[in-house]
Amino acid sequence: MTDRKSKMLQLALILATALAGALAARAMGWPIPFLLGSLVATAILSLTIFTRTGNPVFFPRSLRELFIAVIGTMIGTTFTPDVLSMLPTLAVTLCAMMGFVVLAQASNYTIFHHLGGYDRATSFYAAMPGGLIEAVEMGRKAGGDIETLSIQHFVRIVLVILIVPMLFLVVTGETVGSAANQSLEKGPSDWRDWALVAAIAPIGLGIGKVSRLPAAPLLGPLVLTAILQSAGAIDLGGPAALLNLAQLIVGASLGAQFAKTTPRRLLSALALGFVSVAVTLAIASGLALILRQFVPLSFQTLLISFAPGGVTEMSLIALSLGASPVLVSTHHLFRILFTVGVAGLLFKRLGNDPSDT
């Protein structure tokens, strides 16, 4: 069997496993099933089948980057002209978000570096209260452990989604629905929506790389779409099927990195993740309690806006509470942009510590 044929068969096995995991996760009612289900399934495949080889599992970087660009385009569609009517409130809450990001980053870095014993690059990017995809991409370029970063951010997403509803129940006595049947689509998508994504994603990817944006595959398309959408130049529906496919591909690419993971490392990541999420949500809850005295938003809406979960899932939870998904997604989009900006700036100043390599 040729090396190329072997790689293609390996990729086919990974993608088939990812699809099975995604469908199983959706059937079980998991949050973000196409991302988390594919990630878990391919991680298990890597742990049980590929881990003995000691070699990285084949997954084309170009395929991953293309679908990261699709996700960036989808996130950008949540930015609409409606945000302009919320500017007075956003002026206050987004300033608070900057403080939240700095506090969360510093607290989590201390947890991962001093309690977890991770090297500086891995600790720094594991500490990001931002998305799984951009943290792993930036961490990889900085020399961090991509496997550890993937695990820690996966744990963060799962724990935030599980803990936030329980926090509402304890603090407010209200139960948050899963909103499993909700969607970010504005209406039925047609071929024009698919064509717009097909055009914007690669163009944004190219712009991101040429302009040397951090996490360029994500931020290039995201910023381009946000500008076009908020200016009213486009009205992209965001095809749900394409978003699901993109999450499946990205989840599979991350799960494929688990070939060298052991159950012991997974348990360690879960323990550290619980400490990190507990501290981060404590900061978010404190800010939400303070801010509700100054802005016309409920504690629930503020906490969902600050909780460092996925943009899609937090927006779905917002829908289940009757909160504005535009407002919530705007906060998460700003959190991602500000977190990535701060991470790029601060790590350049910190530099690499030879003692940690």
Side-chain angles (χ1 to χ4, degrees), residues 208-257:
K209 288 187 172 183
V210 169
S211 59
R212 298 178 181 271
L213 282 173
L218 184 86
L219 287 187
L222 189 157
V223 172
L224 176 61
T225 307
I227 292 172
L228 294 174
Q229 191 90 351
S230 60
I234 62 172
D235 185 22
L236 184 55
L242 184 56
L243 178 58
N244 290 339
L245 176 61
Q247 291 183 82
L248 185 148
I249 296 296
V250 172
S253 72
L254 294 172
Q257 302 298 322

Side-chain angles (χ1 to χ4, degrees), residues 294-336:
F294 303 98
V295 296
L297 297 175
S298 66
F299 171 82
Q300 295 96 317
T301 299
L302 287 166
L303 182 56
I304 294 171
S305 296
F306 280 81
V311 175
T312 300
E313 189 62 19
M314 292 297 102
S315 296
L316 293 177
I317 293 176
L319 284 172
S320 74
L321 287 174
S324 169
V326 173
L327 180 65
V328 171
S329 61
T330 297
H331 283 87
H332 287 292
L333 177 59
F334 181 81
R335 172 172 55 83
I336 292 171

Side-chain angles (χ1 to χ4, degrees), residues 12-353:
L13 176 60
I14 291 170
L15 294 178
T17 302
L19 178 59
L23 294 176
R26 184 172 66 174
M28 291 185 289
W30 281 27
I32 324 177
F34 283 86
L35 177 64
L36 299 188
S38 62
L39 193 158
V40 170
T42 51
I44 292 173
L45 178 69
S46 297
L47 284 165
T48 56
I49 303 297
F50 298 124
T51 187
R52 295 182 180 180
T53 68
N55 298 318
V57 177
F58 173 71
F59 202 98
R61 182 177 177 180
S62 58
L63 179 63
R64 179 180 65 181
E65 287 189 344
L66 176 61
F67 282 96
I68 287 175
V70 170
I71 290 177
T73 303
M74 297 296 191
I75 294 174
T77 65
T78 65
F79 224 84
T80 69
D82 293 341
V83 175
L84 297 178
S85 65
M86 305 175 184
L87 285 179
T89 295
L90 288 172
V92 176
T93 57
L94 294 185
C95 284
M97 180 66 78
M98 291 189 283
F100 167 77
V101 168
V102 173
L103 286 173
Q105 180 79 38
S107 300
N108 290 336
Y109 177 82
T110 299
I111 292 168
F112 291 123
H113 189 51
H114 297 288
L115 182 61
Y118 294 162
D119 63 78
R120 293 183 71 192
T122 302
S123 298
F124 192 84
Y125 289 103
M128 286 174 61
L132 183 154
I133 297 165
E134 58 271 19
V136 173
E137 283 295 300
M138 293 183 70
R140 178 184 61 79
K141 293 180 180 179
D145 186 332
I146 188 172
E147 176 192 339
T148 298
L149 290 170
S150 298
I151 296 170
Q152 288 298 166
H153 283 284
F154 167 69
V155 167
R156 170 181 60 82
I157 291 171
V158 171
L159 289 178
V160 167
I161 294 166
L162 291 175
I163 292 174
V164 166
M166 293 182 63
L167 202 58
F168 283 145
L169 184 61
V170 172
V171 176
T172 69
E174 297 180 16
T175 302
V176 178
S178 65
N181 296 320
Q182 299 287 359
S183 172
L184 293 178
E185 282 188 295
K186 300 170 186 176
S189 298
D190 57 27
W191 66 268
R192 287 168 292 189
D193 294 309
W194 288 76
L196 277 174
V197 175
I200 293 173
I203 293 173
L205 174 59
I207 292 173
K209 288 187 172 183
V210 169
S211 59
R212 298 178 181 271
L213 282 173
L218 184 86
L219 287 187
L222 189 157
V223 172
L224 176 61
T225 307
I227 292 172
L228 294 174
Q229 191 90 351
S230 60
I234 62 172
D235 185 22
L236 184 55
L242 184 56
L243 178 58
N244 290 339
L245 176 61
Q247 291 183 82
L248 185 148
I249 296 296
V250 172
S253 72
L254 294 172
Q257 302 298 322
F258 283 49
K260 297 180 181 179
T261 304
T262 64
R264 184 176 180 179
R265 290 193 67 179
L266 288 172
L267 289 174
S268 175
L270 185 62
L272 287 172
F274 185 84
V275 175
S276 169
V277 167
V279 170
T280 303
L281 287 180
I283 296 170
S285 297
L287 286 172
L289 287 170
I290 294 170
L291 286 171
R292 70 174 182 173
Q293 308 297 323
F294 303 98
V295 296
L297 297 175
S298 66
F299 171 82
Q300 295 96 317
T301 299
L302 287 166
L303 182 56
I304 294 171
S305 296
F306 280 81
V311 175
T312 300
E313 189 62 19
M314 292 297 102
S315 296
L316 293 177
I317 293 176
L319 284 172
S320 74
L321 287 174
S324 169
V326 173
L327 180 65
V328 171
S329 61
T330 297
H331 283 87
H332 287 292
L333 177 59
F334 181 81
R335 172 172 55 83
I336 292 171
L337 292 171
F338 188 73
T339 298
V340 170
V342 168
L345 177 63
L346 290 183
F347 195 75
K348 286 180 181 179
R349 290 181 175 275
L350 288 173
N352 292 312
D353 187 347

